[in-house]
Amino acid sequence: MATINVQRPERLTLAERLYLPAILNGLRLTWRHIWGERVTLQYPEEERQFKRVYRGVHRLNKDDKGRVKCVACEMCAASCPAHCITIKATEVEWPERDKIPKIFEIDELKCIFCGYCVEACPEDAIHMTRHYHLIARSREDMIFGLDKLLAIYDETKEQEVLRGVDFGMTHARIPGKEAANPDEVQKLAYPVVGVVTKAETQRAQ
Amino acid sequence: MPTMVIDGREVTAPPGANLIEAAKLAGIEIPHFCYHPALKVVASCRMCFVEVTQEVRGKPTTRLTTACNTPAADGMVVRTDTQPVKKAQNDILEFLLINHPVDCPVCDEAGECKLQDYAFAYGTSSSRFAEHRRFRHAKKLGSGIRLYTNRCILCDRCVRFLRDFVGTGELSVTDMGNGNEISVFPGRPIDNVLAGNLPEICPVGALIAEDFLFKARVWNLRPVDSVCPGCSRGCATFLDVKDNEVQRTRARENQAINGYFICDDGRYLYHVIRHETRLEHPAVREGDQLRESNWDHALDVVVSRLAESPERVVILLSPFLTEEEARAGAHLSRVLHGSVPGHVPNALREAPVSFPGGFAIDGDKAPNSAFVQNMAPVPLQDLVVTKDTVILFFNSSLRIGSVSPRDAEILRRAGFVAVIDVLWNDITALADVVLPGRMWAEKSGTFSNSAGMAQSFGAAVLPPPLTRDESDVIMDLTQRITTRISTGGGAIP
Amino acid sequence: MAARQNRMILDQCEIPGVRSLAVARRYGAYNALAKALTTMTPDQVVEEITRSGLQGRGGAWFGTGLKWSFMPKEPRVESFLCVNADESEPGTCKDRYLIEKNPHLLLEGVLIACYAIRASTAFIYVRGEMWEGMEVLETAIRELTTANLCGKNILGTGFTINVHVHPGAGAYICGEETALMESLEGKRGYPRNKPPFPAAYGAFGHPTTINNIGTLGYVPWIINHGADAFKGIGDPNFPGTLIYQVSGHVNRPGLYEAELTVTLRDLIEMAGGVRSGHQLKAVIPGGTSMPLLTADELDTVMSPASFAPRGSLKSGLGSAAVIVLDDTCDMVDVALNMMRFYRHESCGQCTPCREGTKWVCDMIERIHRRRARPGDLEVLEQVLVNVGDIDRFEFNKTICLFGVSFGWPLTMLIRKFRSEFEAAVAESTPAPVPLPAPASVLPDGDLRAP
Amino acid sequence: MISQEQLIVSLVLGLVLMLAMTAGAGVFTFFERKIAGWTQGRYGPNRAGPKGYLQFLADGIKFALKEDVIQDYVVKPVYVIAPGLMMIPALVLYAALPIGKPFVWNGNEVHLQIVQANVGVLYLLAVASIAVYGIVFGAWASNSRYPFFGGVRASAQMISYELAMGLSIISVVLLTSEPGINALSISNIVAGQTGYWFGFIPRWNLFANPVAFFVFLVCMFAETNRLPFDLAEAEQELVGGYHTEYSAMKFASFMLSEYVNMITMSMVMVTLFVGGWHFPGIEAIRSQAIQVLLSIGAFGIKVLFFCFLFLWVRWTLPRFRYDQLMHLGWKALLPVALASALGTAIAIALRV
């Protein structure tokens, strides 16, 4: 039989057994916190500053002619782990393209905001914005259709948002872009949302 | 029977087989674009390179050769995985992808595209090509076939198919060298009933059927083994289903019947499933009009008429029924008056067509004529139909006009006609009770073709809610009639 | 020692008025045909030719007698003779000269060949541009038919031979024997895969022999003078003479007939030497399909023996069209000129050649315009190797030899004059890459733009 | 006989305290949430009304408007009475506590005390014991397992800790007892703490017997079912504890009574150990009115401190395990309280 030697903790001292020093220490700690800094954001007035890679509501991009960029390839739907994307294609008589989505729906309630759709998109047609105000009065309203997703694009056109190239694979393969440093890719691929204190927010503004 | 070694596995190939076929027997896939077992070998894509070691003038010689035009020979040692072979495959793919637009996102072939699969399996992810790409516009070739010229890899399959297999030869390669392009002669579009096979035969997405254009991505489709009900040939098909709708029909290989192809009549027949004239609820005649009814009422009307005078009942079967339904119909007839049912011969007959490649289309445009005639030997015109006759007609014909005007006239003479059908047509118009049945894509069953080969098929889509399977209806009727007999109701002694 | 010409064919062409049957017969034309028909069996003719060691002048140097002997002795279907007069190799001009000067010499050879291989029909596939030659041939055939030397029951021997002249449409690839047969059948001139070989399944599916028209010119001489006499001429392994076509920067370009022991230096001397004031830079020994030789290699004997497969020279005799380039030639220019020809002439049937010709041509064009990008030369060399590998012939990827006919010469051209190419790349302003990325990851969706 | 003036003061005091307690409990809930927020780096409720001060009103309205569910399976009469039973002791306990310095009105000595009981300490102990009934009744009447567990735990816990509490109060009584003085009268207990040792240390029982103070402090938490002793409503284990099945105003009564209890217990604590209304230097003030007002203020501040302590402790300490709770009550506090009482008795005996 093998013997495992276990280092038992020493017996508690009297002070420790009384718990009183520990309790007082705890009280001191909470006391300090009462007068300490507040980390809560006052939401409607203050908004959190997210990193570029925050994954919020989707948008469907428009090309330089203001038309939907999506070609209804359904790669996003294929890669979606929540099966929340529904696409039906139709034919158009555009000189450079002939397939666009007739129906493009994302069920934002089913969506888990993983960003796979952005990564899968070969056309860079779907992005995730930093919008997180997802409000609707019914489940049906939470199914965002083509109009709504394109409208979000118009709202967030200026925003620098999470794009397909921000994911490691695609980023490394885009020629003309400087070769991605692996650490950088890692950082981009896994969005880190830090706590932004009021002070920081003010500093940012 | 030549015996050889392919990648270390010993293979005995049938005489005349080429190395692609032989390797397939050993479970080894040799990539190829231009080779198709039903077509002449041209070895133009140069994708199927293998390394063959063979005795030439007494000493073993190793050379790189295309597998498709190398007949299997005794003592060959074939390698499909050596460095030169891999390099050759890689190089060929690099060449092919120079001008290919790689527009997989909008291409309907994506998912079943050989170029896509091979580029993934044998190619590299990057290309060294940095010149201007060739660009060609898509064009319509006729017969609902569109050529996305840009995607074409000039494997020549379509040209050979139309020239050698179909014999019409509408397509040809024009221009020279890098300017090569598949096209039709001006003013002479593709016009033959096998044109629908072109998208299937095309290894990339160059030839696309307008019927399936942008309809669905193929990986979302669920193929269901089916049999074409378009004629007595009984071609094996796949019905590709998505969202409870048949999206397209594809040929299913069956060397005994249809080889690799099906005709366009059968290919586009699936549109009838969701046709606007589809019968979707039972109807019972009230005065001059057929009124929407429910199954219980409709069947009650039928059973009461059947039970009034069973000896005057005539059960009619159509050659559009499956074997199982025909059997059940015969059983009902036996229960009623102990005799065999009659049949209404299919009136839709055309001259049979055959093609140089061996494909044939039967003249009889019903799928199960031979079997139904066997089950119900008497044709309608040999039956006595008077004012007192009660006719129960299992029609379920997919085509208008399958009942000849003469037969329709005989039906009109009868006192009471109940029809099970799938479409509103001239026969349902003269019926007293119309019961909605199901189409071949909505039920499973068996068809026997003109050569007597039975093939079974499965249900692909859910039927409209109020329709019922014909066998089910026959069983229900049988049940109701036997109940009526046993309870002493009606006029059955 | 300056070699002399041996003008056994060319002299016959320079007889005044020899185009007409009467003059030709006065100089002994069709004696050989009569001799063959009346005194020899077909097998004896084949035997005689085999013994003479006559080899195909089309460039492959395959034994003519051996080729004829492949034909079925008791044909179940009609056999055909195809005569390849689709002379399109850049620098080559002898067939046209022979046809236009002395058609009867060739037609006699055609008729004897038909007799030997038991063919009743001969197709002379003439290059479409050689309309004068075709007229000459047709006139000659008409004369022959009138004189009962052609058509039914020739010379009362009961032997029937019909000769047809078929104009090609001017495609280089139709000089390839299987493509020629396709073209003859009225199809697109695509080379066929071999096997089956033409002797078993040739034009219209019949057993067919294909001979270069130049080869057949020697046949009457051999029948007349005997196989041994022919074998005695020149190199015993490659007996007879060969018409060399010297062009380019020499003082007297033209046709020079010599035995196959002549060196390249001799040929240039025969042609009057390199034009004055210039140095020889390179020589293309056998049409542009053959890799060029540099000034150090002038002592090469212009015989297939020197260009044995996998030999150190890595070139070939080809069609014996010697193109001389002097020091005024920019090799990039030469390469572009050649490549434009090959891009235009590729039939487009098989992938490496169809796509490779364009790719290579585009790259050379850019180098020529001094818009090359660094690394272009390496890619260019690799692509050439991928089409036609000069170092490993057994890894050739194309159906016919067209791939190697531009792969080899250009590879060697770049290898031998690499410095010129490197200089061109070095002084280039790199052209922008037309597509910034493979379309699969292109962010901007415009997949279908050219 | 009670003087007329005393009667008026008692009545007014009763009314005012009753309202103040109820309202105070409401405000207390607000501060509970506020302090919870602060200790956790948050703001706490700050939306309802200016800076969120009307939050307790919002809560109250919400409770009042909520549907009052009475389940079919409850024992209805008991179920309905229980919240009331919980409320009553909380609202009557402070009747015996003086909240300010007695003063002379129209020549009569008036105590700022609703009831001037001779045995005030007994009154405290008796009334405080009733509180457990509310819990046990509510739990039992709910006819549901989790509340029942909560009720059983609460009764065991309160009974256990009452012992120690009683013993610590005995120390106080002993400290107060002098010949001729009714040591059970709360006024006397407060009065006994008004002197000084060495001239500057107040004679508060806190300093006289810190052990008893400490025992009482712990028991105070236990008696009010506050963290770390809120096992009766441990939500992780018992859903909601004894009031799981309660909703709307009935639930609010439970809640409110808990907070009233806390205030009351703070008052008891202040009265018994921290000198009641007494504060050092009160003697120096000449004017009686100011003296009285300041004494009331001192009392209030002390009470507020203990109220704050309740919250502070709550957001600092985790909950005890039940066996630890029992262990602490029986094996730690009870002997300590006994020893303290004994020690006090001996000390007094030796001194006397």
Side-chain angles (χ1 to χ4, degrees):
Chain A
M1 286 291 267
T3 311
I4 298 170
N5 291 318
V6 180
Q7 189 72 43
R8 296 271 176 217
E10 288 170 30
R11 280 190 63 83
L12 296 179
T13 62
L14 181 66
E16 279 168 345
R17 271 186 295 150
L18 275 178
Y19 296 116
L20 286 177
I23 289 171
L24 290 176
N25 212 16
L27 287 173
R28 195 170 60 106
L29 185 77
T30 38
W31 179 258
R32 275 217 308 272
H33 272 284
I34 288 174
W35 310 107
E37 208 172 23
R38 306 277 168 262
V39 294
T40 321
L41 282 178
Q42 296 301 304
Y43 165 62
E45 296 88 28
E46 290 176 350
E47 283 196 17
R48 176 156 293 188
Q49 298 297 306
F50 287 109
K51 294 208 172 179
R52 189 164 62 93
V53 288
Y54 179 77
R55 299 189 297 254
V57 184
H58 312 76
R59 74 180 192 198
L60 272 184
N61 295 338
K62 293 178 175 178
D63 60 13
D64 44 9
K65 291 176 187 156
R67 309 172 306 191
V68 62
K69 225 170 166 187
C70 172
V71 296
C73 73
E74 297 188 30
M75 289 317 294
C76 48
S79 67
C80 180
H83 302 298
C84 66
I85 306 180
T86 313
I87 301 171
K88 279 229 155 59
T90 187
E91 197 180 358
V92 282
E93 299 283 336
W94 296 351
E96 74 280 19
R97 278 162 60 196
D98 48 12
K99 189 186 182 190
I100 58 161
K102 179 170 64 182
I103 295 172
F104 191 111
E105 286 176 354
I106 299 181
D107 189 337
E108 300 284 354
L109 288 177
K110 280 191 197 165
C111 178
I112 57 166
F113 297 93
C114 64
Y116 282 6
C117 48
V118 181
E119 194 177 1
C121 184
E123 300 288 329
D124 217 25
I126 187 166
H127 284 168
M128 289 183 108
T129 64
R130 273 170 291 164
H131 271 212
Y132 51 93
H133 329 271
L134 261 170
I135 306 142
R137 293 197 174 272
S138 68
R139 285 174 192 280
E140 289 69 37
D141 287 352
M142 284 301 272
I143 300 173
F144 281 21
L146 208 49
D147 301 345
K148 207 159 181 180
L149 291 168
L150 286 171
I152 296 173
Y153 174 77
D154 291 334
E155 278 170 32
T156 59
K157 222 178 329 191
E158 309 305 324
Q159 232 182 58
E160 197 193 354
V161 300
L162 185 68
R163 298 172 303 149
V165 294
D166 296 329
F167 292 89
M169 282 288 288
T170 332
H171 194 268
R173 269 164 56 200
I174 290 280
K177 289 220 160 210
E178 64 279 273
N181 140 27
D183 297 341
E184 191 65 23
V185 170
Q186 200 68 18
K187 241 188 277 168
L188 287 165
Y190 300 98
V192 184
V193 179
V195 172
V196 182
T197 62
K198 191 170 181 178
E200 264 181 69
T201 315
Q202 282 162 353
R203 230 175 289 138
Q205 286 156 357
Chain B
M1 299 284 267
T3 303
M4 69 197 118
V5 178
I6 303 180
D7 283 353
R9 285 179 233 182
E10 192 158 294
V11 185
T12 305
N18 62 24
L19 289 181
I20 292 183
E21 303 285 321
K24 206 185 220 173
L25 291 177
I28 298 161
E29 199 205 357
I30 297 175
H32 57 272
F33 293 110
C34 69
Y35 171 72
H36 189 285
L39 303 176
K40 276 186 188 162
V41 174
V42 290
S44 69
C45 70
R46 318 305 285 175
M47 189 65 204
C48 60
F49 275 115
V50 288
E51 212 177 82
V52 173
T53 309
Q54 211 178 359
E55 294 236 323
V56 176
R57 289 186 214 102
K59 65 174 189 202
T61 317
T62 301
R63 68 188 205 282
L64 210 55
T65 182
T66 44
C68 66
N69 69 337
T70 308
D74 247 336
M76 268 185 174
V77 179
V78 181
R79 309 266 338 160
T80 67
D81 52 359
T82 59
Q83 196 50 43
V85 172
K86 282 182 181 162
K87 167 130 179 29
Q89 289 166 341
N90 210 325
D91 294 344
I92 297 297
L93 279 170
E94 188 180 26
F95 282 130
L96 284 175
L97 289 167
I98 283 178
N99 285 319
H100 192 83
V102 203
D103 57 348
C104 306
V106 294
C107 177
D108 282 328
E109 187 83 2
E112 50 187 17
C113 172
K114 284 199 166 190
L115 187 59
Q116 203 180 33
D117 293 349
Y118 293 159
F120 193 73
Y122 305 101
T124 51
S125 60
S126 62
S127 169
R128 292 173 295 183
F129 184 78
E131 320 301 324
H132 283 284
R133 280 163 187 251
R134 192 177 59 193
F135 175 72
R136 301 272 168 71
H137 285 288
K139 51 194 181 191
K140 295 186 177 181
L141 300 180
S143 282
I145 304 297
R146 210 177 274 192
L147 175 66
Y148 283 87
T149 326
N150 234 11
R151 297 177 192 150
C152 180
I153 57 164
L154 289 159
C155 71
D156 215 12
R157 270 187 182 187
C158 48
V159 176
R160 281 176 285 145
F161 176 69
L162 290 185
R163 190 182 63 205
D164 303 332
F165 193 96
V166 185
T168 48
E170 292 98 337
L171 286 178
S172 61
V173 183
T174 59
D175 214 320
M176 269 179 76
N178 198 249
N180 270 5
E181 192 174 329
I182 303 287
S183 56
V184 290
F185 292 104
R188 289 182 54 191
I190 297 178
D191 180 24
N192 64 64
V193 290
L194 292 185
N197 291 302
L198 288 170
E200 270 183 49
I201 216 173
C202 182
V204 295
L207 290 166
I208 295 283
E210 279 166 9
D211 184 56
F212 185 63
L213 187 73
F214 303 155
K215 243 183 176 177
R217 305 298 280 169
V218 294
W219 55 83
N220 291 328
L221 297 177
R222 178 173 55 91
V224 179
D225 289 9
S226 188
V227 176
C228 176
C231 75
S232 276
R233 187 81 184 170
C235 297
T237 58
F238 284 117
L239 295 177
D240 284 346
V241 183
K242 188 196 161 203
D243 299 340
N244 195 34
E245 242 176 80
V246 176
Q247 305 283 349
R248 65 170 175 182
T249 312
R250 272 185 306 136
R252 182 156 58 92
E253 185 189 338
N254 187 340
Q255 293 302 339
I257 295 171
N258 59 321
Y260 300 91
F261 307 111
I262 56 172
C263 72
D264 284 4
D265 290 347
R267 184 180 295 275
Y268 301 129
L269 191 59
Y270 75 89
H271 287 294
V272 80
I273 300 170
R274 293 278 183 270
H275 199 262
E276 52 184 3
T277 61
R278 183 70 201 265
L279 242 173
E280 285 183 342
H281 53 78
V284 175
R285 186 170 292 279
E286 284 174 21
D288 286 346
Q289 278 187 343
L290 281 169
R291 275 185 199 252
E292 191 175 329
S293 176
N294 60 43
W295 273 96
D296 227 28
H297 176 61
L299 285 179
D300 273 348
V301 171
V302 174
V303 169
S304 63
R305 292 304 295 260
L306 291 182
E308 265 173 26
S309 45
E311 70 286 351
R312 289 205 302 273
V313 172
V314 171
I315 308 271
L316 289 176
L317 305 179
S318 95
F320 285 87
L321 298 175
T322 65
E323 287 190 7
E324 291 80 357
E325 289 155 10
R327 271 178 210 284
H331 176 69
L332 175 60
S333 185
R334 250 197 323 278
V335 168
L336 270 176
H337 43 58
S339 65
V340 289
H343 77 269
V344 182
N346 175 32
L348 282 170
R349 281 173 193 279
E350 289 166 16
V353 190
S354 62
F355 295 92
F359 188 81
I361 301 171
D362 209 283
D364 181 0
K365 296 293 170 196
N368 209 11
S369 292
F371 188 86
V372 169
Q373 275 169 34
N374 200 25
M375 258 357 252
V378 196
L380 175 58
Q381 65 246 34
D382 292 355
L383 291 164
V384 183
V385 175
T386 65
K387 207 86 195 96
D388 298 334
T389 314
V390 172
I391 287 180
L392 183 54
F393 182 18
F394 294 93
N395 189 12
S396 298
S397 151
L398 301 173
R399 296 168 191 261
I400 310 268
S402 66
V403 176
S404 67
R406 196 173 56 158
D407 286 342
E409 200 46 54
I410 298 173
L411 288 175
R412 215 163 270 132
R413 238 184 277 149
F416 178 84
V417 178
V419 175
I420 300 190
D421 216 328
V422 288
L423 299 172
W424 291 105
N425 53 28
D426 47 346
I427 302 303
T428 54
L430 63 82
D432 296 297
V433 174
V434 179
L435 303 170
R438 289 180 180 173
M439 297 213 181
W440 90 107
E442 297 159 355
K443 60 191 178 190
S444 56
T446 311
F447 285 146
S448 284
N449 74 357
S450 53
M453 273 180 273
Q455 295 180 88
S456 56
F457 53 90
V461 293
L462 295 175
L466 280 180
T467 59
R468 281 176 72 178
D469 202 328
E470 281 80 348
S471 326
D472 188 25
V473 174
I474 294 170
M475 287 306 162
D476 199 346
L477 281 173
T478 318
Q479 179 79 39
R480 282 171 193 247
I481 287 165
T482 18
T483 312
R484 199 169 266 245
I485 293 169
S486 61
T487 54
I492 294 174
Chain C
M1 183 205 81
R4 283 191 304 111
Q5 291 195 57
N6 179 348
R7 298 170 62 87
M8 58 188 281
I9 299 289
L10 288 182
D11 279 348
Q12 296 182 60
C13 297
E14 280 156 22
I15 301 165
V18 79
R19 264 193 201 182
S20 79
L21 182 59
V23 179
R25 292 201 82 161
R26 212 180 306 140
Y27 284 89
Y30 298 104
N31 288 349
L33 175 67
K35 183 181 172 187
L37 285 179
T38 50
T39 65
M40 298 165 89
T41 65
D43 290 342
Q44 278 174 327
V45 177
V46 173
E47 173 63 24
E48 191 72 11
I49 299 296
T50 310
R51 268 199 313 120
S52 75
L54 177 65
Q55 285 144 323
R57 258 52 176 173
W61 298 89
F62 193 78
T64 308
L66 187 63
K67 196 187 242 179
W68 290 1
S69 68
F70 291 151
M71 294 296 282
K73 299 284 182 285
E74 283 159 8
R76 259 167 288 162
V77 289
E78 208 184 347
S79 298
F80 293 142
L81 173 73
C82 278
V83 183
N84 187 349
D86 187 63
E87 176 180 57
S88 343
E89 182 71 30
T92 316
C93 51
K94 64 169 192 248
D95 291 354
R96 178 178 159 196
Y97 180 81
L98 293 181
I99 292 170
E100 286 175 10
K101 290 288 181 183
N102 192 349
H104 291 294
L105 176 67
L106 305 174
L107 284 170
E108 190 179 0
V110 168
L111 293 170
I112 295 170
C114 282
Y115 176 68
I117 64 170
R118 299 176 176 84
S120 55
T121 307
F123 297 101
I124 306 180
Y125 187 94
V126 186
R127 183 175 174 188
E129 286 90 335
M130 285 156 46
W131 50 271
E132 192 188 343
M134 269 184 280
E135 271 176 23
V136 170
L137 274 175
E138 296 209 329
T139 315
I141 291 166
R142 264 199 304 280
E143 281 179 315
L144 283 181
T145 316
T146 321
N148 194 21
L149 284 161
C150 179
K152 282 184 184 157
N153 195 12
I154 298 170
L155 298 173
T157 55
F159 206 77
T160 300
I161 302 170
N162 293 310
V163 181
H164 300 286
V165 176
H166 185 96
Y172 174 73
I173 194 62
C174 290
E176 205 275 341
E177 57 178 18
T178 52
L180 184 146
M181 291 190 296
E182 290 277 310
S183 173
L184 192 63
E185 291 173 14
K187 297 178 188 160
R188 203 175 153 78
Y190 274 169
R192 292 180 188 167
N193 284 286
K194 286 185 275 191
F197 290 96
Y201 188 93
F204 304 101
H206 291 228
T208 306
T209 290
I210 295 194
N211 280 125
N212 189 279
I213 197 159
T215 318
L216 295 175
Y218 292 94
V219 170
W221 196 96
I222 294 168
I223 300 295
N224 278 333
H225 299 81
D228 298 327
F230 188 77
K231 204 153 176 77
I233 301 172
D235 184 346
N237 289 326
F238 298 95
T241 61
L242 180 63
I243 300 170
Y244 296 95
Q245 306 118 84
V246 185
S247 58
H249 298 147
V250 285
N251 284 322
R252 278 185 286 113
L255 303 189
Y256 297 91
E257 187 174 6
E259 290 158 14
L260 283 128
T261 50
V262 69
T263 64
L264 195 50
R265 194 182 298 281
D266 296 335
L267 275 176
I268 295 172
E269 246 169 62
M270 280 178 204
V274 179
R275 57 180 184 170
S276 53
H278 293 288
Q279 290 291 310
L280 183 89
K281 189 170 187 180
V283 184
I284 299 172
T288 52
S289 302
M290 291 303 140
L292 44 62
L293 302 175
T294 53
D296 321 335
E297 292 158 330
L298 281 187
D299 290 320
T300 308
V301 176
M302 287 296 282
S303 142
S306 321
F307 302 107
R310 302 179 185 84
S312 58
L313 282 175
K314 297 213 170 182
S315 183
L317 186 53
S319 62
V322 177
I323 302 171
V324 179
L325 307 172
D326 71 13
D327 52 10
T328 59
C329 287
D330 174 9
M331 282 304 168
V332 181
D333 221 0
V334 172
L336 178 62
N337 191 5
M338 280 163 61
M339 205 50 230
R340 277 186 178 153
F341 171 77
Y342 287 111
R343 181 177 66 173
H344 181 257
E345 290 297 344
S346 167
C347 77
Q349 187 187 13
C350 64
T351 309
C353 175
R354 177 181 66 236
E355 308 292 351
T357 44
K358 184 202 179 248
W359 191 353
V360 169
C361 193
D362 282 0
M363 294 190 85
I364 295 179
E365 218 155 43
R366 264 194 308 107
I367 296 175
H368 187 253
R369 282 191 290 121
R370 302 296 187 266
R371 297 305 302 270
R373 291 182 282 262
D376 265 2
L377 214 49
E378 286 69 29
V379 174
L380 180 60
E381 280 186 314
Q382 282 164 22
V383 173
L384 282 168
V385 164
N386 288 350
V387 183
D389 193 340
I390 192 163
D391 298 317
R392 292 182 300 179
F393 180 69
E394 66 275 25
F395 288 167
N396 179 32
K397 290 200 185 70
T398 49
I399 295 175
C400 71
L401 289 179
F402 190 96
V404 297
S405 16
F406 75 90
W408 289 11
L410 283 168
T411 309
M412 289 312 285
L413 184 70
I414 296 174
R415 276 191 201 168
K416 286 184 174 167
F417 296 95
R418 200 180 168 92
S419 56
E420 288 189 31
F421 284 86
E422 275 169 356
V425 173
E427 65 195 53
S428 290
T429 337
V433 181
L435 284 178
S440 58
V441 295
L442 195 68
D444 290 314
D446 204 15
L447 285 165
R448 297 183 58 195
Chain D
M1 256 324 276
I2 308 169
S3 64
Q4 196 182 357
E5 289 77 13
Q6 178 68 50
L7 192 64
I8 293 166
V9 167
S10 292
L11 285 176
V12 171
L13 206 58
L15 198 64
V16 170
L17 275 181
M18 176 87 130
L19 291 174
M21 284 300 218
T22 324
V27 177
F28 205 168
T29 59
F30 168 74
F31 276 101
E32 165 115 274
R33 294 171 59 179
K34 207 70 184 161
I35 284 169
W38 292 342
T39 50
Q40 292 163 0
R42 296 186 281 109
Y43 291 103
N46 63 351
R47 295 279 153 173
K51 300 220 156 198
Y53 289 129
L54 297 182
Q55 182 68 39
F56 69 95
L57 269 182
D59 287 347
I61 292 167
K62 185 192 80 170
F63 275 126
L65 295 180
K66 271 182 128 176
E67 184 188 358
D68 194 355
V69 181
I70 298 177
Q71 288 80 355
D72 283 346
Y73 46 77
V74 299
V75 182
K76 208 174 163 188
V78 187
Y79 177 85
V80 174
I81 290 168
L85 269 182
M86 188 76 180
M87 204 67 178
I88 290 164
L91 285 179
V92 297
L93 191 60
Y94 53 78
L97 303 177
I99 63 157
K101 195 178 187 295
F103 58 95
V104 181
W105 187 16
N106 288 347
N108 293 321
E109 194 182 33
V110 178
H111 292 267
L112 280 169
Q113 197 173 4
I114 300 168
V115 180
Q116 233 186 320
N118 284 334
V119 286
V121 173
L122 285 184
Y123 173 80
L124 286 183
L125 285 172
V127 174
S129 316
I130 298 175
V132 74
Y133 287 98
I135 291 178
V136 172
F137 279 17
W140 179 77
S142 291
N143 214 349
S144 164
R145 281 154 189 80
Y146 288 123
F148 187 70
F149 278 132
V152 169
R153 280 186 183 188
S155 53
Q157 172 188 336
M158 288 168 100
I159 291 163
S160 308
Y161 279 76
E162 242 161 42
L163 282 173
M165 190 167 90
L167 284 171
S168 67
I169 292 178
I170 282 177
S171 302
V172 174
V173 173
L174 286 175
L175 285 171
T176 314
S177 59
E178 268 173 46
I181 289 180
N182 176 11
L184 290 178
S185 158
I186 291 176
S187 312
N188 290 345
I189 291 176
V190 177
Q193 297 180 72
T194 49
Y196 299 90
W197 287 304
F198 314 117
F200 67 96
I201 301 176
R203 286 184 70 111
W204 295 353
N205 290 334
L206 158 65
F207 303 114
N209 190 347
V211 179
F213 165 76
F214 176 72
V215 171
F216 188 86
L217 187 70
V218 176
C219 294
M220 178 171 87
F221 281 95
E223 284 293 298
T224 47
N225 276 321
R226 288 289 292 184
L227 242 93
F229 303 111
D230 67 337
L231 287 113
E233 46 187 300
E235 25 319 75
Q236 293 93 328
E237 306 147 34
L238 303 178
V239 188
Y242 59 90
H243 50 54
T244 306
E245 304 288 349
Y246 283 88
S247 56
M249 263 337 265
K250 292 200 187 69
F251 173 77
S253 306
F254 275 124
M255 276 267 290
L256 225 55
S257 61
E258 183 181 329
Y259 286 93
V260 175
N261 247 329
M262 273 193 278
I263 302 173
T264 323
M265 284 311 280
S266 302
M267 287 163 80
V268 173
M269 178 61 154
V270 170
T271 310
L272 295 185
F273 287 97
V274 199
W277 45 261
H278 177 257
F279 61 96
I282 188 168
E283 300 78 10
I285 297 161
R286 294 278 155 251
S287 156
Q288 179 184 264
I290 292 172
Q291 240 181 13
V292 170
L293 284 176
L294 282 179
S295 72
I296 294 175
F299 184 80
I301 286 168
K302 288 174 188 172
V303 169
L304 282 181
F305 170 76
F306 281 98
C307 285
F308 171 73
L309 189 69
F310 270 112
L311 301 180
W312 189 11
V313 168
R314 170 164 186 187
W315 298 108
T316 304
L317 297 183
R319 184 180 294 137
F320 273 74
R321 219 164 56 209
Y322 198 73
D323 64 317
Q324 289 174 330
L325 174 97
M326 282 298 164
H327 177 103
L328 181 70
W330 288 102
K331 288 159 102 177
L333 289 184
L334 188 60
V336 169
L338 261 175
S340 123
L342 206 61
T344 313
I346 290 167
I348 288 170
L350 287 178
R351 191 188 62 193
V352 174

